[in-house]
Amino acid sequence: MTTDSVTVGVLALHVSKESKAILNAVEDLGHEPVWLRGENTAISIEDGDVSVEPEVDVIANRLLLSNTEEPAEGLGLAATFERIRPMLNPPEAVLTAIHKFATAATLADWDVRVPDALLALSNDRLNQSRERFGKEAVYKTAIGTHGGGTWKVDLTEPVNPKVGNRQAFLQALIDQEPHRDLRVYVVDDDVVGAMYRYAPESDWRTNVALGGKVEDATDSMPDEARRTALYAADVLGLDYAGVDLVEGEEGWFVLEVNPTAGFRGLYRATGRSAGPYIAAAAIERAGGEVDGDRVRELSATLDDSQPSCTPNQPRRMPEETPLIGYIEQVVVSGTSGSVTAYAKSDTGATRTSIDTGLAAEIGAGPIKSMTRVKSGSMKSGKARPVVDLVVGIGGRQHTVTASVEDRSHMDYPILLGRDVLEHYQVDVRRRADGGSEPPDSEE
């Protein structure tokens, strides 16, 4: 170990409270943080020598790959960095962890209990065996995050092996009342904290991002759950991870292992932030010294203030935001398939909506809840069912919570609301259908 200052780079091209918390903790522990972002980062090969700019001693990998269009690009970038500097959460381990079926297969091979699952590349092969899961099953895209791309499906109806351009699979449903799972946050072979997550009303998924409630389980969780979480992270080769478990009749099952798990929910439940523990693990990996008492002291606060090492960010020009037309061709996907259709952009609508018939055709659902939507003709609004929907536009995919309504009397079966349009600039003169109807607002 060395008493010299260690320079810790946090590789995070996005802005998140977790990345900020890790960077601030590095500084508070007496070492130098560097935020590796697009504004300041480069890798150079010159005369056979490879170097990183800015110079760092160790890298904490916080690349979010599960909700990006091209996760292979990020994995390649991380792999390049790993060839040069020590990296926590190495790319090979992250590759396995972000693919939910690869995670399950790896854990099962190492005698970790996981729910039965089936991934098939053809429609016929997937559906000929779906009855083995009973009347209902969990249907997941192999790569997904925050509960997006996860459905509970009725197996009397066929399902598709893909949702949009992402592979999907069936997994046995381990049901319980109330709906809850256990998130265990592991850092450097220790449990930082754990929480029970309870599904919100009218949903069965427990993700905090979807409104799930949390309860501290750090000291009360069973020893079997603790051992299973630690072993799962070790099997996958992850330095830090959020391990999700659920209790079944035979014991604890691992559902997923998240290599970039958020810890805001954990802090809310336990009063403990994982940021200082991740910072300490990175510092020690590079040979630096850390005061354990100081780490525990810092963990009592989630310091997500703007880090002092934040690189200067050039002003983002409007043209960098993708353009979308008033009428746009989109691909909508559900559990039964995908359909290409014209959609109308409406910046006055809060959420996207889809025609009832089209929703049934692609298997959008099941219904999560009811929402009240106002329209120009009905000031009080009317109740409509709400479902998960995957919308593809020009190669980009968005998982949104869409309302379902009878749009058979309207020109377009899909209306894009601000939940999709917030990612684009809308050009009301551009129409994919070649029409000339003046823009208006339906909702």
Side-chain angles (χ1 to χ4, degrees), residues 283-423:
I283 293 165
E284 291 177 338
R285 181 68 57 85
E289 290 187 348
V290 173
D291 183 342
D293 290 337
R294 181 61 174 153
V295 172
R296 288 185 287 275
E297 178 186 341
L298 290 173
S299 71
T301 302
L302 180 60
D303 182 5
D304 55 7
S305 59
Q306 196 67 20
S308 62
C309 62
T310 302
N312 292 326
Q313 300 179 31
R315 183 179 177 184
R316 185 175 181 179
M317 300 302 290
E319 56 266 23
E320 292 181 16
T321 304
L323 200 64
I324 193 172
Y326 169 53
I327 305 299
E328 193 67 47
Q329 190 174 60
V330 303
V331 179
V332 286
S333 304
T335 61
S336 301
S338 302
V339 168
T340 301
Y342 289 119
K344 181 177 180 179
S345 300
D346 187 350
T347 57
T350 302
R351 70 169 76 237
T352 294
S353 64
I354 182 172
D355 177 64
T356 306
L358 181 56
E361 181 181 348
I362 65 172
I367 294 172
K368 292 175 56 180
S369 62
M370 301 294 289
T371 186
R372 188 160 295 278
V373 180
K374 294 182 179 180
S375 66
S377 59
M378 297 182 62
K379 292 184 179 180
S380 61
K382 54 184 177 180
R384 294 177 184 165
V386 170
V387 299
D388 277 341
L389 182 69
V390 179
V391 182
I393 305 173
R396 296 162 62 98
Q397 286 201 156
H398 310 275
T399 300
V400 296
T401 305
S403 62
V404 180
E405 63 168 321
D406 179 9
R407 297 181 62 86
S408 59
H409 59 290
M410 301 179 186
D411 292 332
Y412 304 100
I414 303 158
L415 182 134
L416 301 177
R418 293 195 298 272
D419 50 358
V420 170
L421 299 179
E422 65 180 357
H423 304 289

Side-chain angles (χ1 to χ4, degrees), residues 108-430:
D109 196 43
W110 284 85
D111 298 323
V112 178
R113 191 181 289 115
V114 296
D116 290 348
L118 174 65
L119 182 148
L121 302 185
S122 75
N123 190 297
D124 290 343
R125 179 65 187 87
L126 182 64
N127 285 289
Q128 74 183 23
S129 300
R130 73 180 191 271
E131 293 180 357
R132 80 182 226 209
F133 295 97
K135 294 181 180 179
E136 287 185 318
V138 177
Y139 177 79
K140 295 181 176 180
T141 53
I143 299 176
T145 189
H146 296 320
T150 302
W151 296 264
K152 183 163 67 172
V153 293
D154 177 358
L155 291 180
T156 60
E157 298 291 335
V159 291
N160 206 44
K162 288 186 122 181
V163 175
N165 59 7
R166 292 203 164 170
Q167 194 73 41
F169 65 96
L170 288 171
Q171 187 180 68
L173 174 65
I174 301 176
D175 213 354
Q176 54 183 207
E177 289 291 342
H179 297 299
R180 78 171 187 178
D181 67 6
L182 176 66
R183 161 66 64 85
V184 183
Y185 213 105
V186 176
V187 179
D188 209 19
D189 298 325
D190 284 320
V191 172
V192 168
M195 61 180 174
Y196 287 114
R197 303 185 301 181
Y198 294 85
E201 188 177 353
S202 75
D203 204 340
W204 61 280
R205 295 166 300 179
T206 60
N207 303 72
V208 175
L210 298 174
K213 295 180 180 178
V214 295
E215 174 188 317
D216 189 5
T218 308
D219 298 323
S220 62
M221 67 174 167
D223 288 340
E224 180 193 348
R226 180 185 298 271
R227 291 193 304 270
T228 300
L230 289 169
Y231 184 53
D234 183 49
V235 164
L236 293 177
L238 294 169
D239 300 288
Y240 51 88
V243 184
D244 296 340
L245 306 100
V246 64
E247 188 175 18
E249 294 180 359
E250 302 171 25
W252 287 89
F253 292 76
V254 176
L255 298 177
E256 297 176 12
V257 182
N258 190 330
T260 49
F263 44 81
R264 283 171 288 173
L266 180 80
Y267 179 74
R268 192 163 74 235
T270 68
R272 192 176 301 177
S273 166
Y277 290 93
I278 296 172
I283 293 165
E284 291 177 338
R285 181 68 57 85
E289 290 187 348
V290 173
D291 183 342
D293 290 337
R294 181 61 174 153
V295 172
R296 288 185 287 275
E297 178 186 341
L298 290 173
S299 71
T301 302
L302 180 60
D303 182 5
D304 55 7
S305 59
Q306 196 67 20
S308 62
C309 62
T310 302
N312 292 326
Q313 300 179 31
R315 183 179 177 184
R316 185 175 181 179
M317 300 302 290
E319 56 266 23
E320 292 181 16
T321 304
L323 200 64
I324 193 172
Y326 169 53
I327 305 299
E328 193 67 47
Q329 190 174 60
V330 303
V331 179
V332 286
S333 304
T335 61
S336 301
S338 302
V339 168
T340 301
Y342 289 119
K344 181 177 180 179
S345 300
D346 187 350
T347 57
T350 302
R351 70 169 76 237
T352 294
S353 64
I354 182 172
D355 177 64
T356 306
L358 181 56
E361 181 181 348
I362 65 172
I367 294 172
K368 292 175 56 180
S369 62
M370 301 294 289
T371 186
R372 188 160 295 278
V373 180
K374 294 182 179 180
S375 66
S377 59
M378 297 182 62
K379 292 184 179 180
S380 61
K382 54 184 177 180
R384 294 177 184 165
V386 170
V387 299
D388 277 341
L389 182 69
V390 179
V391 182
I393 305 173
R396 296 162 62 98
Q397 286 201 156
H398 310 275
T399 300
V400 296
T401 305
S403 62
V404 180
E405 63 168 321
D406 179 9
R407 297 181 62 86
S408 59
H409 59 290
M410 301 179 186
D411 292 332
Y412 304 100
I414 303 158
L415 182 134
L416 301 177
R418 293 195 298 272
D419 50 358
V420 170
L421 299 179
E422 65 180 357
H423 304 289
Y424 300 89
Q425 290 186 82
V426 179
D427 183 352
V428 297
R429 299 165 299 180
R430 184 168 121 175

